[in-house]
DNA sequence: TTGAAAGCGTTACCAG
DNA sequence: CTGGTAACGCTTTCAA
């Protein structure tokens, strides 16, 4: 059914070896036969089998990406950056999602290894504690975005979440806010833990009391923001500002505030985290902490590719910046 | 370096053939040897090569997906649905993005065919006019989401965009709005053309004048909404409602309205299209036309899989529904 | 400059 | 129930 190199060779009247070399533009093939082979290939609509090539070359020119879900705008942004960088280098992406389940994450890594990808990028890992087991068998290099793991076959690309959270709290306090609340993220997320850390650290550094009633749990969903705002209103005195685990949570606050008539930032200042594209479209536009997502995605790919070339590579850290808009 | 079936066979003291069958749980292999082989495989951390398997089986259990960009929430939603359905059926996704460039889209289809994917799903195609050329060489089945093409190897999954747009306009007119504007989408998008069609059709059906000054161009970006609102304010009398090509454009209207103090829906009613997740979080929450994205993604995969099994499959159509929230 | 043949890691057919 | 071997489609020595 599908035309193979053999067919091309036959049509051009040469051996498969020659046909292969001709199409690869091998130097020691006469221009004449090259022409003939190319012609034959074109006429037959020949499309080389990457599968067969991978088997002999022992490389697939494919990178595996595992992420929680592409519907998370932050993850999507990262996937986009990774796709761009990979594509530019001639690599294609095999995409698997974990839906936040450690088990699925590990299964994904395994599946990718079976497909012999040249490297794996895990965006916001959720199950690193299981990695040591699987890494005993997985032999491809792994790059973790937003997590670290001490293992010879693992490197990381990190945003400094602690510094980012500190930045936000300091900004709020400088603005005069004194009762700064925090809405956390999933406990399985390293970023969430670090942001919480940055929050408490900043408060301490600025000699402000740490009030546990001002710290709300969350899963990074808008729903968590809505709920937290409701809970905040029951506290006396209520917080005058809130740092959210992510922008989505901040949207929840904004939506609920709008519904309740709570004025932002007059009654309550809010700062998000991630600076996803919609954050400049909220009413009011969201002040938030940004990560250099694009650079992080590019770096993840670059790390993997340099690593494969045998170069020594090391984990990379990026600073966060504050994007001042209208909610604080 | 990496352990192959040969190693497993050796360790278990059987032939590769037997090892292969044992791991495949072939019926005519003694339980004893199965155990021995499995044990050996486990001890060596054997991971079968999907590449080698694909070569002999002539199938990759991989589906190719090409989309404009995963950062478009609508596309992301579709990719998610496709991933879920594919994953459930034991298929993995090879993801390529076109960034709206017909050339890249065609190149992507070609690349996927070279990788011998079992089927290709193109989300919101941008270059179908070039398909006939490439389809002469591409042999895998193609499913188009949001476009059609009359070709034996192509099927489609469609939302009825015209009906959706009509629904929205009728809803507005029923509510008493009389000067309904429309902000369009990219001319390369079939959905955009159909939505415009539905808009004019509905106006005509309701015997309302078609005013070309009320039809604004756009690319589906928030920016287009912002710009359109500014332009609308210069018209006398200004429109009292607007149907947007998509939710993103509607966000632009909302953001600009907030900045200008234009009240929604009192001064201007707004309806979006796509019902992406954020639309329930805008202030006010966005009234919008929804497509059954989940079902569409699942259907795209089901179509492809049934097709491969040799069943006769046909293009599927879905109706849109109106999600009433607070902007109209 | 070209060809024959080995080999990549599997599966599947044919014997035994 | 098990083993030998061909085959999948390509690249890459090794020879000529």
């Amino acid at each position: 059914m599908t035309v193979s190199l053999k067919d091309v060779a036959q049509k051009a009247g040469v051996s498969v070896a020659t046909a292969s070399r001709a199409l690869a533009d091998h130097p020691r093939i006469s221009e004449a036969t090259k022409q003939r082979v190319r012609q034959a290939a074109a006429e037959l609509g020949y499309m080389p089998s990457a599968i067969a090539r991978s088997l002999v070359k022992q490389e697939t020119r494919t990178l595996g990406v595992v992420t929680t879900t592409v519907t998370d705008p932050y993850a999507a942004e990262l996937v986009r950056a990774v796709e761009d960088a990979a594509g530019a280098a001639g690599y294609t992406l095999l995409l698997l999602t974990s839906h936040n389940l450690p088990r699925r994450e590990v299964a994904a890594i395994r599946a990718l290894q079976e497909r012999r990808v040249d490297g794996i990028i895990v965006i916001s890992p959720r199950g690193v504690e299981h990695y040591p087991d699987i890494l005993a068998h997985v032999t491809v290099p792994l790059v973790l975005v937003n997590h670290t793991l001490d293992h010879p076959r693992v490197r990381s690309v990190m945003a400094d979440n602690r510094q980012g959270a500190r930045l936000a709290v300091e900004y709020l306090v400088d603005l005069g806010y004194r009762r700064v609340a925090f809405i956390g993220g999933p406990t399985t997320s390293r970023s969430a833990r670090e942001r919480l850390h940055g929050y408490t650290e900043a408060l301490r550094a600025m000699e402000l009391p740490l009030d546990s009633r001002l710290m709300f749990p969350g899963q990074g969903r808008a729903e968590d923001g809505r709920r937290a705002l409701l809970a905040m209103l029951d506290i006396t005195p209520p917080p005058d500002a809130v740092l959210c685990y992510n922008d989505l949570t901040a949207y929840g606050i904004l939506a609920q505030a709008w519904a309740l008539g709570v004025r932002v930032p007059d009654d309550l200042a809010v700062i998000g985290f991630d600076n996803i594209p919609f954050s400049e479209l909220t009413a009011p536009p969201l002040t938030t902490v940004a990560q250099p997502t694009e650079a992080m995605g590019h770096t993840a790919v670059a790390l993997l590719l340099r690593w494969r070339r045998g170069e020594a590579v090391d984990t990379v850290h990026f600073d966060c910046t504050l994007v001042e808009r209208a909610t604080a």
Side-chain angles (χ1 to χ4, degrees), chain A:
Chain A
M1 185 68 222
T2 132
V3 21
S4 79
L5 192 54
K6 202 167 134 192
D7 304 314
V8 175
Q10 219 148 42
K11 174 147 190 160
V14 297
S15 70
V16 247
T18 304
S20 170
R21 286 187 280 236
L23 292 176
D25 205 21
H26 189 100
R28 285 193 314 234
I29 291 286
S30 79
E31 209 41 60
T33 53
K34 273 187 192 171
Q35 288 299 349
R36 223 151 14 95
V37 173
R38 283 193 201 123
Q39 170 95 12
E43 281 176 20
L44 294 173
Y46 170 65
M47 297 210 172
S49 162
I51 295 293
R53 179 177 298 164
S54 294
L55 188 58
V56 24
K57 293 261 221 169
Q58 295 289 74
E59 67 164 20
T60 52
R61 297 221 135 233
T62 299
L63 260 29
V65 172
V66 8
T67 180
T68 61
T69 161
V70 286
T71 48
D72 170 353
Y74 172 73
E77 208 75 17
L78 234 20
V79 170
R80 194 243 299 251
V82 166
E83 219 266 342
D84 285 349
Y91 282 75
T92 304
L93 257 42
L94 215 30
L95 180 77
L96 294 183
T97 58
S98 71
H99 291 278
N100 276 321
L101 303 173
R103 197 183 313 184
R104 284 196 52 162
E105 187 171 293
V106 172
I109 293 174
R110 188 188 178 90
L112 290 170
Q113 156 89 1
E114 294 199 348
R115 287 186 140 84
R116 298 296 190 263
V117 293
D118 295 337
I120 296 177
I121 293 173
V122 186
I123 295 173
S124 304
R126 292 292 191 249
V128 282
E129 56 283 5
H130 305 294
Y131 284 22
D133 301 345
I134 191 157
L135 279 170
H137 302 142
V138 169
T139 54
V140 285
L142 234 65
V143 168
L144 270 33
V145 179
N146 292 329
H147 216 121
T148 57
L149 184 65
D150 189 24
H151 186 283
R153 239 170 301 101
V154 178
R155 294 295 184 276
S156 300
V157 172
M158 300 282 297
D160 195 335
N161 288 286
R162 237 167 80 189
Q163 167 260 342
R166 241 165 21 215
L167 206 59
V169 174
E170 285 162 9
Y171 178 79
L172 287 169
V173 176
D174 282 350
L175 250 32
Y177 298 101
R178 283 297 171 270
R179 290 180 57 74
V180 181
F182 180 76
I183 306 176
T187 47
T188 53
S189 156
R190 172 163 186 149
S191 306
R193 294 195 298 268
E194 291 178 353
R195 289 171 195 181
L196 171 60
H197 192 172
Y199 162 79
T200 57
E201 205 174 56
L203 250 31
R204 193 172 312 123
M206 309 198 75
E207 296 180 351
L208 250 31
L210 200 63
D211 185 345
S212 68
R213 291 176 313 152
L214 262 37
M215 292 157 66
F216 301 85
Q219 296 294 324
R221 301 161 309 185
E223 190 50 35
D224 301 311
R226 299 196 115 109
R227 207 172 326 214
L229 179 54
L230 258 16
M232 282 174 200
L233 268 20
D234 287 339
I235 301 174
T236 43
D240 53 7
V242 56
L243 171 60
C244 302
Y245 163 63
N246 66 4
D247 286 357
L248 218 46
T249 303
Y251 296 171
I253 295 263
L254 259 31
Q256 193 64 265
W258 179 85
L260 263 37
V262 172
R263 291 164 310 157
V264 175
D266 302 3
D267 299 334
L268 180 74
V270 1
I271 293 191
F273 215 113
D274 288 346
N275 190 32
I276 59 180
F278 299 97
S279 296
E280 55 175 345
L281 298 172
T282 54
L286 186 69
T287 295
T288 186
V289 180
Q291 304 173 36
T293 345
E294 180 113 17
M296 290 170 69
H298 287 353
T299 303
V301 173
L303 225 58
L304 228 34
L305 264 27
R306 290 212 307 271
W307 201 347
R308 268 184 65 76
R309 277 192 238 108
E311 298 176 36
V313 296
D314 216 340
T315 284
V316 182
H317 289 263
F318 288 93
D319 270 352
C320 294
T321 54
L322 189 78
V323 180
E324 305 180 31
R325 285 198 278 247
T327 55

